[in-house]
Amino acid sequence: MAMGILSRLFSCASPHHIGGGGGDGGGGNSNRDASTSPQHSLSSSLMDENIAFGESIITKWDSDSSDYAKLTSLFSDGHGDAARFLRAVADLRRAMLFFFSPDCPDPSSIRVQSLIRAQSLMQSAMRSLEKEFHRILSANRHRLDSASLSSSSSSSDDDEIGIFSSNAIADLRSIAESMMANGYGMECVRIYKALRKSILEEDLFLLGFDIRLPYSNFHKIDWPVLDLRIKSWLAAARISFPAHFAAERLLCSQVFDASDSDDLDLTESCFADVANAAALQFLSFPESIAKTKPSPEKLFRILELHQTLSDLFPQIESTFSYESTASVKVKALETLQALAEAARNSLAEFEAAVQKESSRILIPGGGVHPLTRNAMNFLTSLADHVPALINIYAGVPFRPPEPLPEISAPCPSTIVPASVSERIAWLLLVVLCKLDHKAEFYKEVALSYLFLANNVQYVVNEVKRSGLKIILGARWAERHEDTARRYSERYVRLGWGKAAAAFEEAAAAQEGRLVEDERMREEVKTEVEGMIVPAYQGLYESFTAAHGGGMVEAAAGAVRFSPKGLRDRIEQVFFEPHGSESSGSVNGSFSTSS
């Protein structure tokens, strides 16, 4: 009977733990009757006293039989009672080991009686410690994690953990050590795993992420709703991995002090059981997003997910470095690969959307087309994600359908690899080619050139004001600005070429034509003045000289303006508003999902 009761205690005992041993010290008769040894009689008395002392302490804190224990906690204010309790448990264990030892001089019946009494007290003590362990973990559920724990890894003060006193950690560790030393480690670990696992899930939920939600139906969720979930995940990820998951590992090592190989295994086991499932489920979210149908509107969130996870990977690799947690690292790497593939597919969808854009709307006055605005809004936002683009295209060489013409080729850069810069340059070329096609819809050639001048200049301005300039290089912008200028010059020649002979007719025809870039507008106005004013001024002076400084009615019909009035009329054509700018959307618009 005693052997069965005591099996768990002695399964974790070793000979050097046995106290009060006697024997003949190796120098006497080994067959001497142990019961006649004064030394052994004294040891038995001491062990009996240990049991009696333990009984007085342990029964005081047995909540099943003590009203006092129901009203207060063993590890509450002050640690005197807790220290005496743990010392009593340790003495009780020594007594049990002694009475089980062959060195004990007492008769078998007395030894069994003492062992049963001691074991009953030990069970009571373990119940009390089990309740205290649960109470301390529960009472400090939101003070034993996050920054309060993670800060302790860099703290030089071993008595403090962040803003939280390490007393609770020390109490948990001493309880765990006592329960494991007495064969109750399984109960201790079970409580720890169950409670910390629920706390971790609750912490993630408070961060805005419910790991219990299924991810198989993401393809059915509208993008705005899914976008909000992605934002929540990003915010939670930036806190959970460096704080919560890392803190769980630290807490495991501090409670189950890794002083030998067995404790290392226990620390690893506890952390794996608490954190593995949550981390894997947490990483399933971005992986599921990567598996949804690719689209340009999703690209920036996917890039943000990829960049965030890339930034967090060293922390994940460090936190989940155990062999039993390697699946989390593998999951993180698989998720990064899935996100990279999804980003590449979404960018390909953007290119396809531009090429398929088939609207035939004519922008009044040859202004900037909505396609140009939408595409450049997309591409300038893309330039803000260069680090992520470099990662997702690492080892993926760019092979365009046809070689990039020299004017559209990016300048060589030591900052941005060709695998990224040439892709961006190609996408811009696709946009510019689409604009060339749309210019053909204008029946008036001069207006088609103005349309091209406006749109190419808009592209140049967006490149120069954004990170695209770093990706493509200054020479790219200069070459295309020259192209926009040539378009504007052709517009001036075709639109204003006959204005010297019929100025008012030409001016009236050009009203409502938009030169949207302010600097280009000034340049066009100056060019028109240079082309018209000198010839007109000669005509004006000839008429006034022929009529003695005056103007007859016929002459006034041919020369209606003075040179100053002519300049004012040109100023009016270019700088006074003649209608609102078109900003409507067309098929193939692109969202930056900001």
Side-chain angles (χ1 to χ4, degrees):
M1 176 67 177
M3 292 292 290
I5 295 175
L6 300 172
S7 59
R8 69 159 74 202
L9 171 64
F10 299 116
S11 66
C12 60
S14 57
H16 69 271
H17 287 137
I18 300 176
D24 59 2
N29 184 357
S30 60
N31 296 321
R32 182 178 59 182
D33 185 358
S35 64
T36 63
S37 170
Q39 180 181 0
H40 281 242
S41 298
L42 178 61
S43 298
S44 298
S45 298
L46 289 174
M47 293 303 109
D48 285 334
E49 290 178 5
N50 283 348
I51 295 175
F53 174 75
E55 185 172 25
S56 65
I57 299 296
I58 292 169
T59 54
K60 175 183 177 182
W61 294 101
D62 186 352
S63 59
D64 292 338
S65 59
S66 170
D67 292 336
Y68 179 78
K70 295 177 182 178
L71 299 175
T72 186
S73 300
L74 177 58
F75 287 79
S76 56
D77 295 337
H79 286 77
D81 288 332
R84 282 189 293 273
F85 188 93
L86 293 173
R87 187 165 62 250
V89 170
D91 290 342
L92 185 62
R93 180 174 183 270
R94 280 193 291 272
M96 294 172 71
L97 291 171
F98 171 78
F99 285 117
F100 189 72
S101 168
D103 295 328
C104 178
D106 294 340
S108 176
S109 60
I110 296 176
R111 291 167 61 186
V112 169
Q113 185 178 1
S114 297
L115 284 170
I116 293 175
R117 178 188 176 197
Q119 176 61 15
S120 176
L121 289 171
M122 182 64 76
Q123 289 176 333
S124 175
M126 293 300 105
R127 285 196 300 270
S128 297
L129 290 179
E130 187 175 332
K131 291 177 181 178
E132 281 297 295
F133 194 79
H134 189 283
R135 184 193 65 78
I136 296 171
L137 276 177
S138 299
N140 295 278
R141 60 189 295 123
H142 296 303
R143 296 200 296 171
L144 290 174
D145 51 26
S146 188
S148 63
L149 270 172
S150 58
S151 64
S152 70
S153 60
S154 59
S155 174
S156 59
D157 187 351
D158 293 335
D159 294 329
E160 294 293 325
I161 299 179
I163 60 172
F164 177 69
S165 170
S166 61
N167 286 338
I169 302 292
D171 291 343
L172 290 169
R173 183 167 59 244
S174 56
I175 293 173
E177 289 173 349
S178 180
M179 292 184 71
M180 286 187 288
N182 290 286
Y184 286 77
M186 185 179 296
E187 286 80 354
C188 178
V189 169
R190 175 181 53 78
I191 294 170
Y192 181 89
K193 290 179 178 180
L195 192 53
R196 288 309 302 176
K197 187 174 182 179
S198 68
I199 290 172
L200 179 59
E201 292 181 0
E202 181 182 346
D203 286 337
L204 293 177
F205 181 80
L206 292 174
L207 288 174
F209 186 83
D210 189 349
I211 65 172
R212 293 165 295 186
L213 290 176
Y215 304 142
S216 58
N217 63 342
F218 276 179
H219 64 284
K220 300 179 182 179
I221 301 177
D222 292 338
W223 172 246
V225 177
L226 198 56
D227 188 44
L228 290 175
R229 291 193 182 180
I230 294 174
K231 288 181 180 180
S232 296
W233 187 92
L234 287 166
R238 292 174 184 132
I239 298 174
S240 61
F241 282 110
H244 291 284
F245 286 111
E248 287 300 333
R249 172 166 174 155
L250 180 61
L251 181 60
C252 283
S253 66
Q254 291 181 334
V255 172
F256 304 102
D257 192 15
S259 58
D260 56 42
S261 59
D262 290 339
D263 289 338
L264 281 171
D265 292 341
L266 181 58
T267 301
E268 176 180 346
S269 171
C270 285
F271 174 66
D273 283 3
V274 168
N276 257 27
L280 290 172
Q281 187 72 354
F282 195 75
L283 291 170
S284 293
F285 177 85
E287 185 181 42
S288 298
I289 295 295
K291 293 178 180 179
T292 60
K293 184 179 179 180
S295 68
E297 66 180 351
K298 296 177 183 177
L299 175 61
F300 297 99
R301 285 288 178 239
I302 291 174
L303 289 175
E304 196 171 357
L305 287 168
H306 188 279
Q307 187 62 51
T308 299
L309 192 53
S310 295
D311 293 341
L312 290 171
F313 186 76
Q315 177 71 62
I316 295 173
E317 191 172 32
S318 173
T319 301
F320 295 89
S321 60
Y322 295 126
E323 183 178 352
S324 61
T325 60
S327 58
V328 177
K329 291 189 294 183
V330 172
K331 183 75 165 180
L333 289 172
E334 291 175 347
T335 301
L336 282 171
Q337 293 171 359
L339 289 169
E341 181 66 21
R344 292 191 290 266
N345 291 338
S346 293
L347 197 56
E349 286 295 316
F350 166 77
E351 179 182 343
V354 173
Q355 291 176 334
K356 293 176 183 177
E357 203 284 315
S358 58
S359 67
R360 299 179 66 88
I361 64 170
L362 296 177
I363 305 303
V368 177
H369 199 280
L371 172 65
T372 311
R373 298 184 189 278
N374 292 332
M376 292 312 297
N377 185 40
F378 182 92
L379 291 172
T380 54
S381 296
L382 190 63
D384 296 332
H385 295 81
V386 167
L389 291 173
I390 292 174
N391 286 335
I392 69 171
Y393 283 111
V396 184
F398 177 58
R399 296 185 176 89
E402 57 187 70
L404 279 167
E406 183 179 356
I407 188 175
S408 293
C411 302
S413 171
T414 58
I415 301 175
V416 183
S419 60
V420 173
S421 61
E422 290 181 0
R423 277 183 171 84
I424 301 298
W426 172 260
L427 293 174
L428 280 165
L429 178 61
V430 171
V431 173
L432 292 171
C433 289
K434 178 62 68 171
L435 293 174
D436 279 340
H437 177 66
K438 291 187 177 298
E440 298 172 0
F441 298 153
Y442 290 96
K443 295 180 179 179
E444 186 183 341
V445 177
L447 190 54
S448 69
Y449 278 119
L450 178 58
F451 172 81
L452 288 172
N454 278 324
N455 282 269
V456 174
Q457 186 62 48
Y458 183 88
V459 170
V460 170
N461 290 345
E462 292 298 292
V463 168
K464 291 169 69 175
R465 74 166 184 83
S466 69
L468 290 171
K469 183 176 181 179
I470 298 175
I471 296 174
L472 301 171
R475 282 289 298 134
W476 189 98
E478 292 171 2
R479 291 194 296 262
H480 285 81
E481 193 159 36
D482 289 341
T483 299
R485 189 176 294 109
R486 287 195 297 273
Y487 286 144
S488 69
E489 290 171 353
R490 293 174 188 175
Y491 156 69
V492 170
R493 287 198 302 272
L494 293 171
W496 293 86
K498 300 179 181 179
F503 172 75
E504 182 55 30
E505 180 182 344
Q510 298 307 314
E511 283 186 328
R513 306 290 168 88
L514 304 173
V515 184
E516 297 209 10
D517 180 70
E518 184 176 354
R519 189 180 68 175
M520 178 180 283
R521 190 185 314 129
E522 187 64 42
E523 290 175 353
V524 168
K525 187 197 73 143
T526 301
E527 188 176 352
V528 169
E529 287 180 347
M531 184 173 64
I532 296 175
V533 172
Y536 187 90
Q537 186 166 355
L539 182 64
Y540 178 83
E541 291 174 352
S542 297
F543 270 95
T544 55
H547 297 87
M551 296 284 289
V552 298
E553 184 175 348
V559 186
R560 293 181 55 190
F561 301 98
S562 67
K564 181 180 182 305
L566 186 70
R567 289 189 177 90
D568 290 343
R569 182 70 177 98
I570 294 173
E571 180 85 15
Q572 181 185 41
V573 170
F574 286 102
F575 286 93
E576 289 189 10
H578 301 285
S580 60
E581 178 183 323
S582 172
S583 60
S585 62
V586 295
N587 293 334
S589 60
F590 317 106
S591 169
T592 58
S593 298
S594 58

